[in-house]
Structure formats: structure tokens, C-alpha cells
Amino acid sequence: MDPASILITNDDGFGAEGLRVLEESLASLGSVWVVAPDREQSGQGHALTLNQPLRLKRVAERHYVVQGTPTDCIYLAVNTILSKRPDLVASGINRGYNLGDDITYSGTVSAAFEATLMAIPAFAISQEIGEGPISYEAAGRWSASLAQQILKRGMPPDTLLNVNVPRLAPKGVRITHQGRRIYPGGVVERRDPKGRPYYWIGGQSADWEADPATDFAALAEGLISVTPLHLDLTNYKVVDEVRRWNLEL
Amino acid sequence: MDPASILITNDDGFGAEGLRVLEESLASLGSVWVVAPDREQSGQGHALTLNQPLRLKRVAERHYVVQGTPTDCIYLAVNTILSKRPDLVASGINRGYNLGDDITYSGTVSAAFEATLMAIPAFAISQEIGEGPISYEAAGRWSASLAQQILKRGMPPDTLLNVNVPRLAPKGVRITHQGRRIYPGGVVERRDPKGRPYYWIGGQSADWEADPATDFAALAEGLISVTPLHLDLTNYKVVDEVRRWNLEL
């Protein structure tokens, strides 16, 4: 059997330490291809870049830099760079967690979604940060063990795994569901030197629903959180109810 | 009973025609507050803006412009502008549809999600466009009739409605689920004048799964599509399966 082909990308850019740790961690499992954005993409749009051309630069064997989003990286890698479809896509290790409702905006998770759309098994992995130095060691080690499982078992259809690693040495692993932000409702009003107001969102720190099955709770208990996600936001539970509204023209 | 208070925003910016049509369409149902981004936000991040201050400008009675995302607009409106919580949030009318997997990246839908997080009933409404002039008339009319229903019935918990209106006169209404893109896989390689390659994503046009229950199919048949969405991407169907993997440290 051919050695596994593993494609990795991230949201923090090609030079990020988390990407390097991910590459090293997966190296023993197959040939790792690194195709990553040239710079940090946080806060950028995470969809495919359709309205402008993308530059792609080979910087070393199996190492490419893309002037685009993490999603672009996966798309270009599979469609033009790799000669065959990868067996696994891993995205990360992101500097900072991707939990709860905020994963909708996460480039790290979006890249894994793009792979899932192409029916390629994928996971996203993010490292909680706090004060003091960041260690990606536990996340790297656990990436390898998860990758091994996925290469062996495959992935349920239409599913990706969103992994978050706690800041301190993990005490275990929990399969979770996506948690919900509890609305802080804070806005801080300030005045500029000319007396004009401006506003900061998030005066209070965000809180989260108290449910031990959530990704947040797992992390707070020092566990690695693994959430199986899919791409479908439809609330099937209420479809029939809305049908009974008999909406008409 | 007080007249209903309705908050509207959009992704195309304060000056967009779709926003004006939405405002006029809902005017007979209550007092409409318009809080919208100062410029088009498409392709911007759609999360809350946490790392920079936001400017807010009152331009007329109940009309405000925010230097921020549609999500910021909803947040600021509810937390600082309106004296009481609105009874309904409507986002749109977006210039161009918001269907299938792409709604993850939609500012129009994100604004409605933000309202849903605050337990305020909300819908997003988008107008399919094609060649020739755009008419928001049908979408405007239907916004009013939907808003009336929601004000009367309320909304199922944790749910928003994602509405798309076909380009030609709608023939009816269908409650749908979120469709899936079928992967086109196209990349077009070009050379710049210096002979260096660059890439366009999406050589072929995207196709969609052939399922009449999807938002895509409804629009293709000339129907208004109404998809109930929630905020949870967890794939609950596979949670137990992944638990049986017995992932450990």
C-alpha cells in the first residue's frame, strides 16, 4: 500500500509555529503536504476567493504558500498541486481555541469543511492559549494519534472533527457538541479627544451554557474536546412546524 | 399594545436599495429602526468586531450607520441604540441569493443569527439576481407578509428563517433544507505578462445536489425558499459512533 498522503493548512499563516508542530507530528504517518496562506487570515472572509486570481508559490518540496484563505489552500492543493487526492486533511494547530458558535467564523474549521465537501476525511485542531508561553506539544502528539485513527477507520459521511486542546496538560478526551455563548450584552462607550463617542463590544467577558457535554465544558475541565460537525445548519426539528404555518404568496 | 418595534440591517450597506425596500415594506407593521454598515461588507469577516472600536452615526430619526459588520449593527442596536428589545429583526434584502453551504459566509444570515443568539425572532431575506435590472418588489411584499406571521406566532426556539426569493415572479413558497454544493473542482491556470502562473478558482459553474427539498431546487422552480436554520453544526447522528472510537490520550 502507498504511504498515506496528508495535506495540512492553517489560518495563522505559513510561518506559524502551530503549523510546523502539526507537520512534524504527522510526518511519521505518511508524506505531509503543507499548503498554507502567506499571512495570518484571521478575520478575513473564509470562503473561496472567486473574484480575484490566486498566487501560488512552491517554497520547498511539498511546501506551498498561497495568497488566499485556508479554504483556497485546500481547494488549490487538491485541484492543482497534489497529483492524487490526499487521504487526510488536517487544519491547525490554531493559536487559540475554536469553540461554540464562533466556529462559524473560523478559518481553521472552514479549511476542514472544504475538505469534507470533497469527501476527504478532515479535522481541525486548535490550542487554547492563556498568559505565558504557548506549547503545542500535547496538541501535536494528539494530532498524530487522531490522524492514525482516522486513516485506519475512515470518517462518517459529511463529518469533520473539530478538536480543541486545553492550555494545561490534558487530562483526557471527551466527544462533545458545539456549545452556546450566553449573551454578555456589554458595550463600553468612550469619547475620543474631540468628544465624539465610540464603542467597544464585549464589556463583560462571554459566558457559556452550563452543559458538561459542550466543547467549552470539556476544555474548562482540562479535557481535549472532539466535536463531530457537519455542514448543515437546517433545524430539522422545526421544519414541520414552519410548514404548518402555511406560508403563501 | 405598543406598536411592534422592528430592527433591520443588511450586508450591502446603508445606501443599498434592498434595505430601503425592506424598510418601506415593513413600515406598516410597526416602527422600523435601520442600523446598517456604512459600506458593503461582503467578503468581510462577519463576527463581532472585538479588537477595534466602532463608530456609530445617527443620520435621521431611527436611522444609524455603523462602521462595522452586520453582526455589529445588531449588537450595537440592541445594546445601545434601541431603548427596548425589538420584536423582530430582519436582514436584507440582500443583492444575490444566500443558499446552501455558502450561508456560512453570509453577512446577511450572520446578522439574523446574532439576533437569534439574543432570543429575538429574526429572518434573513435575499433576492436572486441575473442579467438585467433587479426588482426587490416581490421580496419586499413577501417580507411584510412573513414579518406579520412571525409577530403573530413567534419563532421556534434557537431558530431563524433564511428566505430566498427567485429572480422572476415567485410561483409559491416552499419550506426547504439547506442544499449542498456538488464540487466543481475547476481551476483555471493563466500566465501573467512575465510568464508567472496564477489561478482562478471555479472553472466550471457550481452544481447542486438534485433534491427537491433543498433551497436550490425551490429557487430553480421559481419558488420562494424558506429554510429554518439553527446555530448548531454538531452532527448528532455520528456522536455515538465517534464515542465508540474510544479516543484516548
Side-chain angles (χ1 to χ4, degrees):
Chain A
M1 204 178 104
D2 284 348
S5 151
I6 301 171
L7 169 63
I8 71 172
T9 193
N10 75 346
D11 191 45
D12 296 327
F14 190 87
E17 190 192 346
L19 184 70
R20 189 182 52 73
V21 173
L22 186 61
E23 180 186 1
E24 285 168 7
S25 305
L26 303 180
S28 67
L29 302 176
S31 24
V32 179
W33 295 75
V34 183
V35 182
D38 59 340
R39 72 193 81 174
E40 192 188 323
Q41 291 286 315
S42 307
Q44 302 293 314
H46 291 122
L48 290 171
T49 301
L50 299 173
N51 298 320
Q52 57 188 52
L54 293 167
R55 293 280 180 179
L56 171 67
K57 195 172 143 199
R58 182 180 183 279
V59 291
E61 199 192 340
R62 297 198 309 267
H63 286 71
Y64 295 79
V65 171
V66 174
Q67 279 174 14
T69 66
T71 310
D72 292 332
C73 291
I74 298 303
Y75 190 101
L76 282 184
V78 172
N79 282 288
T80 75
I81 301 173
L82 276 70
S83 51
K84 68 181 188 77
R85 285 161 62 83
D87 301 298
L88 175 66
V89 164
S91 177
I93 303 167
N94 192 63
R95 190 179 176 287
Y97 61 54
N98 279 299
L99 297 171
D101 313 311
D102 296 332
I103 60 173
T104 307
Y105 308 114
S106 159
T108 308
V109 176
S110 295
F113 268 138
E114 192 65 25
T116 308
L117 277 173
M118 298 189 249
I120 299 166
F123 68 90
I125 183 159
S126 305
Q127 172 65 52
E128 184 186 28
I129 57 180
E131 285 174 29
I134 306 168
S135 167
Y136 293 100
E137 200 207 320
R141 214 166 44 230
W142 208 72
S143 295
S145 113
L146 180 63
Q148 216 166 3
Q149 290 282 338
I150 296 173
L151 289 170
K152 190 176 85 183
R153 296 172 183 272
M155 193 76 108
D158 294 337
T159 303
L160 70 92
L161 300 181
N162 183 38
V163 179
N164 284 275
V165 177
R167 192 165 57 86
L168 302 174
K171 297 173 187 162
V173 182
R174 183 181 289 163
I175 312 303
T176 57
H177 64 74
Q178 183 188 325
R180 278 198 57 179
R181 181 152 53 103
I182 292 172
Y183 208 68
V187 171
V188 176
E189 183 177 332
R190 294 270 162 78
R191 300 264 160 184
D192 70 15
K194 292 185 174 147
R196 295 171 304 201
Y198 58 91
Y199 301 88
W200 291 97
I201 277 178
Q204 302 145 263
S205 63
D207 208 352
W208 311 95
E209 57 171 356
D211 176 342
T214 63
D215 45 8
F216 287 107
L219 230 64
E221 295 176 40
L223 304 170
I224 294 175
S225 164
V226 179
T227 317
L229 301 179
H230 61 171
L231 299 145
D232 190 350
L233 287 162
T234 309
N235 190 356
Y236 288 97
K237 290 193 301 289
V238 307
V239 164
D240 285 340
E241 177 178 345
V242 177
R243 280 207 178 107
R244 283 192 300 270
W245 289 13
N246 289 319
L247 296 170
E248 282 168 17
L249 277 188
Chain B
M1 202 177 103
D2 284 349
S5 151
I6 301 171
L7 168 64
I8 71 172
T9 192
N10 75 346
D11 190 44
D12 296 329
F14 191 86
E17 190 191 346
L19 184 71
R20 189 182 52 72
V21 173
L22 185 61
E23 179 185 2
E24 286 168 6
S25 306
L26 302 181
S28 67
L29 301 177
S31 27
V32 179
W33 295 75
V34 183
V35 183
D38 60 338
R39 69 193 82 175
E40 192 186 323
Q41 291 287 318
S42 306
Q44 301 294 315
H46 292 122
L48 291 171
T49 301
L50 299 174
N51 298 320
Q52 58 187 54
L54 293 166
R55 292 280 181 180
L56 171 68
K57 195 173 143 195
R58 182 180 183 279
V59 292
E61 198 192 343
R62 296 198 310 266
H63 285 71
Y64 294 79
V65 171
V66 174
Q67 279 174 16
T69 66
T71 310
D72 292 331
C73 291
I74 298 303
Y75 190 103
L76 281 185
V78 173
N79 283 287
T80 75
I81 302 173
L82 276 71
S83 50
K84 67 181 187 82
R85 283 161 63 84
D87 301 297
L88 174 67
V89 164
S91 176
I93 303 168
N94 192 61
R95 189 178 177 286
Y97 61 55
N98 279 300
L99 298 171
D101 313 310
D102 296 333
I103 60 173
T104 306
Y105 308 115
S106 160
T108 309
V109 176
S110 295
F113 268 136
E114 192 64 26
T116 308
L117 277 173
M118 297 189 250
I120 299 166
F123 68 91
I125 183 160
S126 305
Q127 172 65 51
E128 183 186 29
I129 57 179
E131 285 174 30
I134 306 169
S135 167
Y136 293 99
E137 200 207 320
R141 214 166 46 228
W142 208 72
S143 294
S145 114
L146 179 63
Q148 216 166 2
Q149 290 282 338
I150 296 173
L151 289 170
K152 192 176 82 184
R153 296 172 183 275
M155 192 73 107
D158 293 335
T159 303
L160 69 94
L161 299 180
N162 182 37
V163 180
N164 283 275
V165 178
R167 193 165 56 86
L168 303 174
K171 296 172 187 165
V173 183
R174 184 181 290 162
I175 312 303
T176 57
H177 64 76
Q178 183 188 327
R180 279 201 53 181
R181 182 152 54 104
I182 293 173
Y183 208 68
V187 171
V188 176
E189 181 178 333
R190 295 269 162 77
R191 298 265 160 183
D192 71 15
K194 292 186 174 147
R196 294 170 303 201
Y198 59 91
Y199 301 87
W200 290 96
I201 278 179
Q204 302 143 264
S205 63
D207 207 355
W208 309 97
E209 58 172 355
D211 176 343
T214 63
D215 46 7
F216 288 107
L219 230 64
E221 293 175 43
L223 304 170
I224 293 175
S225 164
V226 179
T227 316
L229 301 179
H230 60 170
L231 298 145
D232 190 350
L233 287 162
T234 310
N235 190 357
Y236 288 95
K237 289 193 303 290
V238 307
V239 165
D240 284 340
E241 179 179 345
V242 177
R243 281 208 177 108
R244 284 193 300 271
W245 290 11
N246 289 319
L247 296 170
E248 284 167 16
L249 277 188

